[in-house]
Amino acid sequence: LYNHRRNEAVRSFVHSTRDAALEILNDFVLGVDKSGKITFIEEGKNVDRLAQEQGFNTADVENLGPGEFFMPGMVDTHIHASQYTYMGTALDLPLLQWLNTYTFPVESRYRDLKFARDVYTKVVKRTLRNGTTTACYFATIHTDASLLLGQIADDLGQRALVGKVCMDINPMVPQYKELLDESKDETLRFIRELLQKKYPRVKPVVTPRFAVSCSSSLLDALGEIARTLYFQSHISENKEEVELVKQLFPDCLSYTDVYLKHGLLTDKTVMAHGCHLTDEELKIFHKNGASISHCPSSNISLMSGILNVRNVQKHKVKLGLGTDVAGGYSASILDAVRRAIDTSKVLTIEHPQLRPLTFEEVFWLATLGGSEALSLDDRIGNFEVGKDFDALRVNVSVPGGPLDVFPEDVIVEKFLNLGKTPWLSFISLFLQYG
Ligand code: GUN
Ligand code: ZN
């Protein structure tokens, strides 16, 4: 079963498990088979026995240098690929005005496939360089450009859920919306054509923008389509938006109830933000197995609110981190890690009884938590035997790097707080053989 030269083995691993937010496995050895799956992860002292059993040569074991470790690839559970052009700018307005002023005019340009190819290539390359090996993308309403995003992610080796955006209501920027039937038909075409490509790591996700820009008929139709598929949208990001949804859907008990009533709250649903969800709504999330994407950078930049992560976890709702580019001004999950810790501390300032998040907990959110939120935890998220070896090789001792290492250091914490991209040389996100 194992090809001698192609079985790689390495020695120091940092990951999360079901029981521990952070587990550090020093002097361990990990094996990967031809298809890129982890075949063993054991103490280094067992390497001779493993070499015999698994049929590899110990001379082929690759040793990590000082300051190096492997961690799971990071998961961005919510990012708008189409907003990458203006990332880092246009952060002066709250959500609804921000959408009308900056977002919709830019997104309407993706009819132009040349423009789409250029931006989508750049955003996939950028997120990969930042250590995002899995991303859950919003594209735009344009089917062909959305298919192109899937192709680019596949070409460049990123695991991705790709959503063609659906919206049939847009009074302020009416040139950027679809007709009801068009939205349904194009969603079906998008799903069909993307699945036909049989990309091993790229799948479609049904994507109504949010309740504000979708008619009840469109949500119903998408609920039918999304029964067995992934589904993503936005929820309770900003108070003005929550009020507007109440007015638009007077028969629904809450924002969550809007998605629930239209069949869109399933165990393959991921909803961005949720800053203003009530406990009742969180209970509905839990009951239906739906997840939340926590996007702290965006929540601060657009002055939306702060998610109480401890309360979400108390309700046992699955949770991952998202950059929400371009509401968030960074395409790096490391940045989301830092913002998640900082915003949890702001909540602690306001409510001293609330414990801030620890770096271990946020490491979990960036990796295993994200994989659970996207229902991909059977394939990625940590270094369990049988999962894909989807990993970042981190070196904290690069000359000229952004931090100095001292003997007593908690290296992973320093890396999470101070790590920078050029210095995070990722290799072998899914080792692709033959
Ligand atoms: N709600 C609906 N659309 C969007 C979007 O593009 N970005 C954010 N942050 N929230 C939204
Ligand atoms: Zn978003």
Side-chain angles (χ1 to χ4, degrees):
L1 275 177
Y2 299 101
N3 176 324
H4 286 230
R5 274 175 304 129
R6 285 180 167 180
N7 254 359
E8 293 211 357
V10 285
R11 278 180 198 264
S12 182
F13 303 91
V14 175
H15 73 163
S16 302
T17 67
R18 310 257 162 225
D19 307 319
L22 187 72
E23 183 175 64
I24 298 176
L25 303 167
N26 279 324
D27 194 26
F28 265 58
V29 61
L30 177 147
V32 182
D33 72 10
K34 280 202 281 188
S35 68
K37 292 210 183 307
I38 299 169
T39 51
F40 60 84
I41 176 161
E42 292 197 26
E43 286 184 62
K45 65 180 186 205
N46 298 332
V47 71
D48 289 328
R49 173 178 57 75
L50 286 163
Q52 275 206 336
E53 280 173 14
Q54 309 272 346
F56 65 89
N57 191 332
T58 50
D60 291 338
V61 175
E62 185 180 342
N63 284 292
L64 292 178
E68 284 194 298
F69 63 88
F70 274 99
M71 62 175 277
M74 288 184 278
V75 181
D76 189 340
T77 59
H78 184 80
I79 171 167
H80 297 260
S82 50
Q83 296 171 14
Y84 182 64
T85 52
Y86 65 100
M87 183 183 85
T89 68
L91 297 162
D92 55 336
L93 295 174
L95 176 66
L96 300 178
Q97 294 88 320
W98 177 83
L99 287 171
N100 291 331
T101 310
Y102 305 116
T103 306
F104 295 148
V106 170
E107 287 195 15
S108 66
R109 294 183 60 193
Y110 284 77
R111 188 185 309 280
D112 174 353
L113 288 177
K114 197 158 161 277
F115 175 69
R117 181 181 295 280
D118 177 51
V119 181
Y120 288 162
T121 302
K122 286 181 174 141
V123 72
V124 174
K125 283 188 176 168
R126 174 68 59 190
T127 51
L128 279 169
R129 278 184 61 198
N130 287 346
T132 299
T133 58
T134 300
C136 187
Y137 285 116
F138 273 57
T140 60
I141 64 173
H142 310 95
T143 306
D144 292 321
S146 306
L147 288 166
L148 188 57
L149 174 57
Q151 185 197 318
I152 290 165
D154 178 68
D155 281 348
L156 296 174
Q158 190 172 52
R159 191 183 305 271
L161 301 180
V162 178
K164 172 220 153 316
V165 172
C166 299
M167 48 195 286
D168 63 343
I169 296 175
N170 195 355
M172 299 304 283
V173 188
Q175 70 274 23
Y176 186 56
K177 68 169 180 179
E178 309 158 285
L179 300 172
L180 169 62
D181 285 341
E182 188 188 6
S183 190
K184 284 193 275 191
D185 294 347
E186 286 296 292
T187 296
L188 288 170
R189 178 167 83 85
F190 172 70
I191 294 164
R192 190 176 62 244
E193 293 192 16
L194 193 61
L195 290 176
Q196 266 168 6
K197 302 279 185 194
K198 297 204 184 316
Y199 298 135
R201 291 175 295 273
V202 176
K203 301 284 176 247
V205 46
V206 178
T207 304
R209 173 159 227 124
F210 64 159
V212 175
S213 46
C214 297
S215 65
S216 184
S217 310
L218 178 57
L219 291 177
D220 263 339
L222 297 176
E224 279 294 312
I225 295 170
R227 260 187 207 173
T228 56
L229 293 170
Y230 290 101
F231 169 72
Q232 66 176 347
S233 192
H234 298 89
I235 196 165
S236 291
E237 176 176 0
N238 152 305
K239 285 189 175 159
E240 194 186 357
E241 168 210 12
V242 176
E243 281 311 308
L244 186 55
V245 171
K246 266 191 202 151
Q247 289 169 26
L248 293 171
F249 294 87
D251 298 339
C252 293
L253 299 172
S254 64
Y255 203 156
T256 301
D257 195 39
V258 174
Y259 292 128
L260 182 69
K261 281 219 168 81
H262 292 90
L264 290 165
L265 213 68
T266 76
D267 60 0
K268 283 212 177 139
T269 294
V270 57
M271 286 286 174
H273 308 299
C275 305
H276 304 288
L277 289 172
T278 63
D279 286 359
E280 283 312 308
E281 290 179 281
L282 287 172
K283 282 179 198 157
I284 299 171
F285 264 74
H286 171 66
K287 192 166 159 227
N288 290 274
S291 320
I292 292 175
S293 170
H294 177 32
C295 306
S297 179
S298 166
N299 296 157
I300 295 298
S301 285
L302 301 185
M303 301 154 280
S304 302
I306 301 182
L307 180 73
N308 182 340
V309 169
R310 294 242 174 263
N311 195 39
V312 172
Q313 290 178 329
K314 196 172 101 190
H315 287 85
K316 297 194 167 48
V317 174
K318 291 182 288 180
L319 190 66
L321 290 180
T323 57
D324 193 28
V325 166
Y329 59 77
S330 164
S332 167
I333 286 293
L334 280 180
D335 177 78
V337 160
R338 295 161 196 169
R339 299 294 157 253
I341 295 178
D342 291 351
T343 49
S344 80
K345 288 178 176 169
V346 172
L347 286 183
T348 301
I349 294 170
E350 286 172 2
H351 310 281
Q353 78 283 5
L354 259 184
R355 260 183 320 120
L357 296 177
T358 64
F359 80 90
E360 292 95 336
E361 289 171 309
V362 182
F363 177 91
W364 181 89
L365 286 178
T367 56
L368 190 58
S371 75
E372 285 180 10
L374 299 183
S375 303
L376 290 171
D377 50 316
D378 57 333
R379 302 245 354 226
I380 56 161
N382 64 1
F383 297 128
E384 260 175 43
V385 172
K387 289 193 182 182
D388 290 358
F389 183 57
D390 176 326
L392 309 178
R393 182 174 181 165
V394 180
N395 187 348
V396 295
S397 301
V398 174
L403 61 85
D404 294 298
V405 179
F406 295 94
E408 306 302 314
D409 272 347
V410 182
I411 298 255
V412 179
E413 184 176 15
K414 258 201 174 169
F415 164 69
L416 290 178
N417 282 319
L418 300 170
K420 290 234 166 71
T421 299
W423 167 78
L424 183 166
S425 68
F426 80 91
I427 63 153
S428 69
L429 10 156
F430 345 102
L431 297 172
Q432 278 202 48
Y433 294 117

